[in-house]
Amino acid sequence: MVVYVIETNNLSKTYSRNKVVNSVNMHVEKGKIYGLLGKNGAGKTTTMCMLLNLTYPSGGEIFLFGKDPKRYSNEIYPKIGSIIETPGFYENLTAYENLKIIGKIRGDYNPQKIRLVLEMVNLADDKSKRFKDFSLGMKQRLGIAAAILHNPELLILDEPINGLDPFGIKEIRTLLKRLSHDFGITILISSHILSEIENLADVIGFMDNGVLIDEISRDELHDRLNKFVEFEVSDIGLALNVFKRLELRENEDYTFDNNTIRLYSHLDMRDKFNALFVKAGIDVRKVNLCEENLEEFFTRFVSNN
Amino acid sequence: MLTFIEMEFLKLKRSNIFLLSLIGAILPPLLMFIAVFAFDEGHTFELLFSNVNMYMSALFAILLYAIMISYLFGREYNEHTLKTMLTIPVSRGKFLLSKYVMFLVWILILTVVTTLSTMVLGFVAGLDGFSLKLFIDSFAQLLFANVLLFLTFSPFVFISLFITNMVPAMVGGAGLALVNMMIYGQTWAPYVPWVCPYLIASGEIAEYSSSITLSYAVILATFAIGLVISYIYFTKTDVSL
């Protein structure tokens, strides 16, 4: 039986007359990394804020660990670590002092644990630096340290790689994968950076204009990505004549651009098309079997929906 | 609650506002110390303590407390720490209550600083008439006035939650201090929440033909209104990111 750590039923949020989250039915499976993908303003942050009780829903239901968080807040929320947008910490304090406040208030203050998580996010060397002097990447890393300090069962991370350099992104990606795969932590992560979600998530939720359009597993996603063969030819006119003779239809079976033709049907016959081109005196410079990337899929998917 | 207070103190570490508030607490004694040399009015310890208490609780404290409240309650918004704190998780009511308690503790610290610095500066000025009883009575009077003032500042908590910027608090505090000066001596001064604490604590209220019970009622009503609206606002509105 599938166990959902996060489940929402028709979750909605309206500001004045503007419905920023519209009947979202989200299902985050235990132990999985769920990537919430959407443009800026799609409703990702508001949805996460409602899950964390920072924003009150206008309608719908939330279940965390199978329970109503309004009734079982003391039991549920200590199991969650989170980052919402840029992490906020006390600017006059160091990373250690900020984590000490969190640990003390939570009631599980442990200096060794703080040092350990600071090492995990590469902030152990900046002991005396105050938060106000942190770079954006350092702030983000401290946010992650605060989120994992108490060994949560669920991480809700809103754009956690914002401001990180490529090395930092790689480190955080590795850390999150480790937390999920080695420790079984469920992760809900939002991003507008498609490649990041593609690299990380087991399941992707596509969100646009406050609506969760679909939830697709990574395997299912690859099945649904359009595949095509790309021919780069010396004479596009002659190549198109070959396709026309075979009664292939433009825009449905193929598209073209300069000297490149993209074939979307009959992909298993690409060697035969290549032979026909050569027979017609066309030099075929490249034949690539390609797959639509997530960005192209996202654009197509959102515009279709 | 003790942990919350301990953490509120940690939050004040390296904080300029805390240092500025200490300077603010020393300022009335310092001005009165200068006045000892500027005006020949037969200064004694008793007069010094009395003047410091009046200027502190009827004037300086208004501006100082407005700034302190704005910093204490507004910084969680300005430094975006509210979302971090509330997702620990911390109950919103408990969080608000801990801020109120911290504000009271901060006031107590400043009261001690004001009274001690008054005593030290009195000795430096070579004044006569110091006694332990005078010192304790003067401290008790200032403490009582400041605790009553604390109660009247709950509406400022709501303003600080609503407008998190410190500028309105500074302008409002300065304005209210001026209003206090204008009202002081008027027949209806005992019914103004920010004037009557000093009048009650100093005993000057006896010179007015008014009911002291009504003054207490005004203070308590102000506290209750501020507490309720700040609680409702803080617990019922979404956390701004």
Side-chain angles (χ1 to χ4, degrees):
Chain A
M1 191 186 137
V2 179
V3 178
Y4 294 119
V5 170
I6 300 174
E7 197 176 356
T8 67
N9 293 328
N10 295 318
L11 185 63
S12 303
K13 179 70 184 178
T14 307
Y15 289 111
S16 304
R17 286 181 196 167
N18 187 16
K19 208 161 195 177
V20 292
V21 174
N22 192 355
S23 300
V24 164
N25 296 308
M26 182 187 279
H27 305 87
V28 180
E29 223 176 293
K30 188 175 167 45
K32 300 274 181 180
I33 301 180
Y34 185 107
L36 194 56
L37 192 62
K39 294 180 282 189
N40 288 332
K44 307 185 295 291
T45 301
T46 308
T47 302
M48 288 180 152
C49 283
M50 286 192 282
L51 295 175
L52 289 166
N53 201 28
L54 293 174
T55 299
Y56 299 117
S58 307
E61 292 175 307
I62 296 172
F63 295 99
L64 299 173
F65 300 97
K67 292 180 176 175
D68 179 358
K70 281 183 204 155
R71 289 182 61 196
Y72 298 95
S73 61
N74 289 339
E75 184 189 327
I76 289 169
Y77 286 110
K79 294 195 248 180
I80 303 174
S82 63
I83 298 179
I84 296 293
E85 291 188 340
T86 309
F89 291 100
Y90 299 100
E91 295 186 348
N92 50 320
L93 303 182
T94 63
Y96 182 91
E97 288 163 346
N98 269 296
L99 295 187
K100 182 180 174 180
I101 288 177
I102 292 170
K104 281 265 188 179
I105 291 177
R106 192 181 277 126
D108 60 0
Y109 168 60
N110 180 345
Q112 276 182 320
K113 187 75 203 295
I114 292 177
R115 281 185 208 107
L116 183 74
V117 290
L118 287 176
E119 272 171 30
M120 281 171 87
V121 296
N122 284 334
L123 284 176
D125 295 335
D126 299 289
K127 279 176 197 159
S128 55
K129 205 170 196 175
R130 295 181 210 184
F131 183 73
K132 68 175 179 184
D133 299 322
F134 277 23
S135 66
L136 186 56
M138 289 169 79
K139 288 178 180 178
Q140 215 69 22
R141 291 209 297 272
L142 182 59
I144 290 170
I148 61 174
L149 182 64
H150 59 300
N151 302 325
E153 292 175 37
L154 168 65
L155 278 175
I156 296 179
L157 307 173
D158 182 27
E159 309 268 2
I161 55 158
N162 258 4
L164 295 181
D165 58 36
F167 294 107
I169 290 175
K170 199 177 166 196
E171 276 170 25
I172 296 305
R173 189 194 303 144
T174 309
L175 176 67
L176 294 180
K177 278 186 173 171
R178 220 182 100 201
L179 290 172
S180 172
H181 299 141
D182 297 354
F183 300 98
I185 297 175
T186 309
I187 299 174
L188 168 63
I189 180 171
S190 79
S191 183
H192 62 276
I193 303 168
L194 290 85
S195 58
E196 203 43 51
I197 292 294
E198 194 176 16
N199 276 322
L200 206 59
D202 301 309
V203 178
I204 301 174
F206 292 90
M207 205 163 179
D208 193 48
N209 283 327
V211 177
L212 186 67
I213 299 167
D214 207 348
E215 297 173 303
I216 303 173
S217 72
R218 200 209 297 248
D219 296 337
E220 197 186 340
L221 175 71
H222 283 289
D223 290 341
R224 286 168 70 167
L225 290 177
N226 270 344
K227 292 171 186 63
F228 56 90
V229 176
E230 210 169 55
F231 295 97
E232 194 182 314
V233 294
S234 59
D235 190 327
I236 190 77
L238 285 176
L240 291 176
N241 280 339
V242 171
F243 275 8
K244 278 173 192 161
R245 278 205 302 275
L246 294 168
E247 296 184 346
L248 296 178
R249 290 154 302 176
E250 189 181 335
N251 293 328
E252 283 186 31
D253 296 311
Y254 69 90
T255 58
F256 68 94
D257 182 26
N258 293 327
N259 284 331
T260 305
I261 299 179
R262 279 185 174 188
L263 180 69
Y264 296 102
S265 62
H266 310 89
L267 303 188
D268 50 339
M269 290 172 65
R270 57 190 180 274
D271 54 336
K272 296 195 170 52
F273 290 124
N274 187 37
L276 286 171
F277 286 149
V278 174
K279 201 174 169 186
I282 304 163
D283 291 337
V284 180
R285 294 181 190 133
K286 263 188 213 165
V287 183
N288 290 329
L289 179 61
C290 306
E291 190 177 72
E292 185 180 42
N293 63 29
L294 188 58
E295 194 177 325
E296 289 162 331
F297 176 78
F298 180 70
T299 311
R300 180 168 61 84
F301 196 60
V302 166
S303 51
N304 285 350
N305 286 280
Chain B
M1 189 50 74
L2 275 177
T3 309
F4 274 97
I5 300 302
E6 187 193 342
M7 291 307 103
E8 285 295 336
F9 272 109
L10 180 57
K11 289 179 197 175
L12 290 176
K13 196 174 171 182
R14 302 183 206 98
S15 157
N16 292 333
I17 291 285
F18 188 67
L19 286 176
L20 283 172
S21 74
L22 292 179
I23 294 168
I26 295 169
L27 200 60
L30 196 65
L31 290 176
M32 292 305 107
F33 171 76
I34 294 166
V36 168
F37 299 103
F39 311 106
D40 185 17
E41 291 177 1
H43 288 281
T44 60
F45 258 108
E46 191 178 355
L47 186 63
L48 181 70
F49 274 122
S50 166
N51 282 343
V52 166
N53 285 2
M54 182 183 71
Y55 282 108
M56 185 62 191
S57 48
L59 200 67
F60 280 93
I62 309 293
L63 177 60
L64 200 57
Y65 295 174
I67 293 171
M68 280 158 55
I69 275 210
S70 176
Y71 179 73
L72 205 54
F73 289 85
R75 76 174 298 193
E76 308 289 348
Y77 291 90
N78 295 325
E79 297 179 18
H80 308 285
T81 47
L82 199 53
K83 60 188 176 188
T84 310
M85 289 295 118
L86 294 184
T87 51
I88 283 177
V90 173
S91 121
R92 293 191 193 207
K94 205 172 171 182
F95 188 77
L96 195 68
L97 183 65
S98 72
K99 292 278 182 188
Y100 269 102
V101 174
M102 182 59 202
F103 178 49
L104 181 61
V105 172
W106 198 345
I107 285 175
L108 298 182
I109 292 169
L110 296 190
T111 306
V112 171
V113 169
T114 302
T115 308
L116 281 178
S117 56
T118 306
M119 182 187 73
V120 170
L121 289 170
F123 279 120
V124 172
L127 298 182
D128 295 325
F130 180 81
S131 70
L132 190 62
K133 186 181 179 307
L134 176 69
F135 177 80
I136 292 169
D137 285 350
S138 176
F139 174 71
Q141 187 199 97
L142 185 62
L143 185 65
F144 187 40
N146 285 350
V147 169
L148 292 179
L149 260 184
F150 157 79
L151 296 174
T152 64
F153 265 76
S154 63
F156 279 80
V157 172
F158 169 70
I159 294 167
S160 300
L161 296 173
F162 192 69
I163 309 167
T164 56
N165 196 309
M166 275 183 79
V167 176
M170 291 168 83
V171 173
L176 200 57
L178 284 173
V179 169
N180 263 14
M181 278 174 67
M182 283 156 39
I183 290 169
Y184 183 72
Q186 301 288 326
T187 51
W188 40 278
Y191 306 121
V192 177
W194 299 281
V195 181
C196 61
Y198 169 71
L199 297 179
I200 293 171
S202 65
E204 275 188 39
I205 200 157
E207 294 166 18
Y208 293 81
S209 55
S210 65
S211 155
I212 192 167
T213 314
L214 202 56
S215 294
Y216 278 119
V218 166
I219 291 172
L220 290 175
T222 307
F223 176 63
I225 291 167
L227 187 70
V228 169
I229 56 172
S230 58
Y231 178 80
I232 291 172
Y233 182 79
F234 191 63
T235 53
K236 301 293 176 198
T237 51
D238 294 341
V239 173
S240 66
L241 302 176

